Amino acid sequence: MSQPSVTEHERRLAEPSRVEIFSDGVFAIIITLLVLEIHRPVAASGKLAEEILKAWPAYLSYALAFLYVGIIWLNHHGVFQYIGKVNLTVTWINLAGLGLAALIPFPTGVMADAFRSGNLADEKAAVVLYALVVGLMSAAWLPVFPYLARHPELLRPGVGQATIAAQVRRPVVGVISYGLAALTGWFIHPLCAIALFVFMVAYHAATCEGVRPMRRKG
């Protein structure tokens, strides 16, 4: 019996397992790097407790960023529940998202140092930097869902176009919200931006696909 012919396009498609394993490793490194932004306090004798308390911005920044990166990882896992095959374009889109996610420890540390200093101008610059990085990371995921919608051969059996189209909302909300955070943090007060950062963590947690079973057509 003759084997079914395989087109050149089909030969270029690969299983997503290697992409997922690589991505999981990157997220693990990012989360590890976040804790390095919490520095051991340098305190005079008898002042250790005071210095530990003064470092509260570092603790808050770490908690916020840890939750955010964890939710990104869950959403990343959720996206790949829909993907049965990957090609070069999907791999590059994934790399762009990972590259921007890897920057998160930098603005996290900058924001912690700025709030610890108590300088309003520095706090404004820090929240704008953080909003810019996470906003770009959200924007990096905007192309993936329209691309998957145009290439159904990459999807797992049973995943419909409507399911993929519905996923666009999260990165769009992210881009808009982080842009708003940058504007309010600069022109109103940095705490407004912090409030929006916390809101976005809650939003992404509530809409996270990584903790929900994938729905298939019966």
Side-chain angles (χ1 to χ4, degrees), residues 53-78:
L53 292 175
K54 282 183 179 179
W56 69 265
Y59 312 144
L60 178 61
S61 297
Y62 169 76
L64 185 66
F66 181 91
L67 287 172
Y68 188 60
V69 173
I71 291 165
I72 295 169
W73 172 72
L74 286 172
N75 279 319
H76 183 275
H77 176 68

Side-chain angles (χ1 to χ4, degrees), residues 32-57:
T32 302
L33 291 175
L34 287 173
V35 77
L36 298 181
E37 297 299 332
I38 301 178
H39 306 294
R40 289 191 301 174
V42 179
S45 179
K47 297 290 186 180
L48 180 59
E50 180 182 345
E51 291 300 320
I52 290 175
L53 292 175
K54 282 183 179 179
W56 69 265

Side-chain angles (χ1 to χ4, degrees), residues 118-212:
N119 183 282
L120 183 60
D122 289 346
E123 292 173 1
K124 288 183 175 183
V127 296
V128 169
L129 175 65
Y130 188 91
L132 177 63
V133 170
V134 293
L136 286 173
M137 189 183 60
S138 292
W141 287 101
L142 286 173
V144 68
F145 300 112
Y147 184 80
L148 290 174
R150 294 195 305 270
H151 295 272
E153 71 275 10
L154 300 177
L155 300 174
R156 294 182 187 273
V159 177
Q161 297 290 326
T163 300
I164 296 302
Q167 308 307 311
V168 180
R169 181 177 65 252
R170 282 201 308 274
V172 169
V173 170
V175 171
I176 294 172
S177 297
Y178 290 123
L180 184 61
L183 291 173
T184 56
W186 182 264
F187 291 107
I188 301 177
H189 197 278
L191 291 179
C192 295
I194 297 296
L196 279 169
F197 297 155
V198 172
F199 165 77
M200 286 307 299
V201 168
Y203 170 78
H204 284 300
T207 61
C208 181
E209 292 291 331
V211 296
R212 296 178 182 177

